[in-house]
């Protein structure tokens, strides 16, 4: 039986929290993003950079969750920007969101496939191409994507609990074996933020937090969304900051402040696992794969709900709003799966490097798109509360979102300026300007689509953001 509404009252605080943290991928980020930050920037300010970025995103979240108390919509950024800035900017934001979250989701296949291929070859002597393992993960995600959302939440709960436990254990192991027998706190000094090149470190830190904003996507399926969504958002942000700052600090303590950059450049993701004894390191390598899979499933859920919300309000074809009897967005979920399948086939047929050109390039660009949406949403919060008497305090509706808008615009500038560094390509490389330019094209397409929708179907246009 097919319906056109999402399941209600299925997700509590912990279930939403598991979806959000799985999208962030704590083990994936600590093994991949943190080591990349040390290696690419050559700076030792990574731990304090994570703290600074968490404070900035916490400032953004003040207005974000305040607006979430007044708007419950699976379209999240799209719905907020529509209600705050208008229908036409909202539709443009919807296109940006679809591009960004799809890039984040499909990009993960580029890490899971090679990771699983290497693991199977080392542990079991099984030698298969990366795309075979990527297709296996795609199949499981496709099946789970049309099941009950609370079932997916239970799967993520098991994976995430094991993942976080291992990250904490490896972090403690690194701190218990400091370089030269001395625990240094130097990488946590705020003064480390005022050095040349710290912009790239801050940018990588911001991209590592992408996914924390996802709680709002599950507002329609949450129990008591006015309480569940703010609590899940703030809790996830705090936990992510603690895990990232502690793990990156532990790396500096274990390898030494002056040696950690060299270790990251030489070892890559193994920098994290090298801090732990044999069995714990092996568990970390195994859970690194489950972390990637959990992120695949979480971002698949994000994309499917965006597609559903946009179809329900007439922005996208109405077929995408059909759900299963249990309330899962069936057609939207299968559509996102089709996109993933096409990308895997394309990269396999072309012989492109999956880690660099699929995972790293597309994932970084997807994160940049989410940063664009976060910045626009700060402006939307100001616009919404400027027109609605809501009872929210001045700090929630004006001061915090205004400050976050100014600071986020500065971060966006740093991202564009350092995009070649983020991709690991020389300045002037076509990828360093084609990827950011892609969002300008997405915005232009969204604005054009809004104009056409208003002219051809005024009734559908009026439903946008409702």
């Amino acid at each position: 039986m097919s319906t056109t509404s999402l399941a209600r009252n299925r997700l509590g605080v912990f279930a939403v929290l598991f979806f959000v943290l799985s999208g962030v991928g704590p083990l994936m980020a600590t093994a991949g993003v943190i080591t990349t930050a040390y290696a690419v920037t050559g700076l030792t300010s990574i731990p304090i950079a994570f703290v600074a970025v968490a404070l900035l995103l916490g400032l953004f979240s003040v207005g974000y969750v305040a607006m979430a108390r007044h708007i419950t919509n699976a379209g999240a950024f799209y719905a907020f920007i529509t209600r705050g800035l208008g229908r036409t900017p909202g539709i443009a934001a919807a296109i940006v969101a679809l591009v960004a979250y799809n890039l984040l989701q499909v990009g993960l296949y580029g890490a899971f496939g090679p990771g699983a291929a290497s693991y199977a070859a080392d542990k079991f002597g099984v030698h298969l191409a990366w795309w075979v393992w990527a297709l296996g993960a795609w199949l499981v995600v496709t099946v789970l994507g049309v099941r009950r959302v609370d079932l997916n939440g239970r799967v993520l709960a098991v994976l995430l609990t094991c993942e976080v436990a291992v990250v904490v254990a490896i972090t403690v192991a690194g701190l218990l074996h400091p370089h030269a027998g001395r625990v240094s706190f130097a990488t946590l000094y705020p003064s480390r933020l005022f050095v040349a090149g710290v912009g790239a470190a801050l940018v990588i830190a911001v991209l590592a937090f992408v996914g924390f904003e996802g709680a709002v996507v599950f507002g329609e399926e949450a129990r008591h969304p006015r309480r569940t969504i703010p609590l899940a958002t703030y809790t996830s942000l705090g936990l992510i900051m603690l895990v990232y700052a502690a793990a990156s600090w532990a790396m500096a303590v274990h390898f030494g402040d002056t040696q950690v950059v060299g270790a990251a450049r030489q070892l890559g993701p193994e920098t994290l696992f090298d801090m732990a004894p044999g069995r714990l390191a092996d568990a970390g390598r195994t859970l690194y794969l489950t972390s990637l899979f959990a992120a695949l499933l979480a971002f698949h859920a994000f994309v499917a709900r965006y597609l559903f919300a946009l179809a329900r309000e007439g922005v996208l074809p109405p077929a995408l709003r059909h759900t299963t009897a249990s309330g899962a967005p069936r057609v939207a979920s299968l559509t996102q799966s089709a996109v993933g399948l096409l990308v895997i086939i394309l990269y396999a047929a072309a012989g492109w490097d999956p880690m660099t050109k699929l995972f790293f390039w597309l994932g970084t660009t997807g994160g940049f798109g989410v940063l664009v949406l976060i910045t626009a949403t700060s402006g939307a919060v100001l616009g919404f509360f400027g027109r609605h008497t809501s009872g929210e305090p001045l700090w929630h509706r004006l001061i915090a979102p205004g400050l976050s808008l100014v600071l986020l615009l500065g971060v966006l500038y740093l991202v564009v300026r350092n995009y070649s560094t983020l991709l690991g390509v020389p300045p002037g490389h076509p990828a360093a300007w084609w990827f950011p330019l892609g969002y300008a094209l997405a915005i232009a397409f969204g604005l054009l689509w809004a104009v056409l929708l208003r002219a051809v179907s005024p009734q559908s246009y009026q439903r946008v953001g409702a």
Side-chain angles (χ1 to χ4, degrees), residues 432-454:
W433 56 274
W434 266 113
F435 282 123
L437 180 61
Y439 283 111
L441 297 176
I443 292 171
F445 175 80
L447 295 174
L448 178 61
W449 183 250
V451 171
L452 291 174
L453 187 66
R454 181 169 56 186

Side-chain angles (χ1 to χ4, degrees), residues 110-129:
F112 183 89
S118 176
Y119 186 84
D122 291 342
K123 296 294 184 182
F124 309 110
V126 176
H127 299 274
L128 294 173

Side-chain angles (χ1 to χ4, degrees), residues 74-103:
F77 286 140
Y78 146 75
F80 284 19
I81 293 171
T82 298
R83 296 289 294 275
L85 300 179
R87 293 184 178 90
T88 298
I91 292 174
I95 303 303
V96 170
L98 287 177
V99 172
Y101 282 116
N102 267 293
L103 289 178

Side-chain angles (χ1 to χ4, degrees), residues 129-163:
W130 72 269
W131 54 266
V132 176
W133 299 101
L135 286 174
W138 170 85
L139 181 60
V140 177
V141 169
T142 299
V143 172
L144 289 176
V146 293
R147 302 299 299 274
R148 288 165 55 111
V149 69
D150 49 340
L151 171 62
N152 288 343
R154 287 194 289 270
V155 172
L156 294 176
V158 174
L159 297 177
L160 186 69
T161 301
C162 296
E163 180 184 336

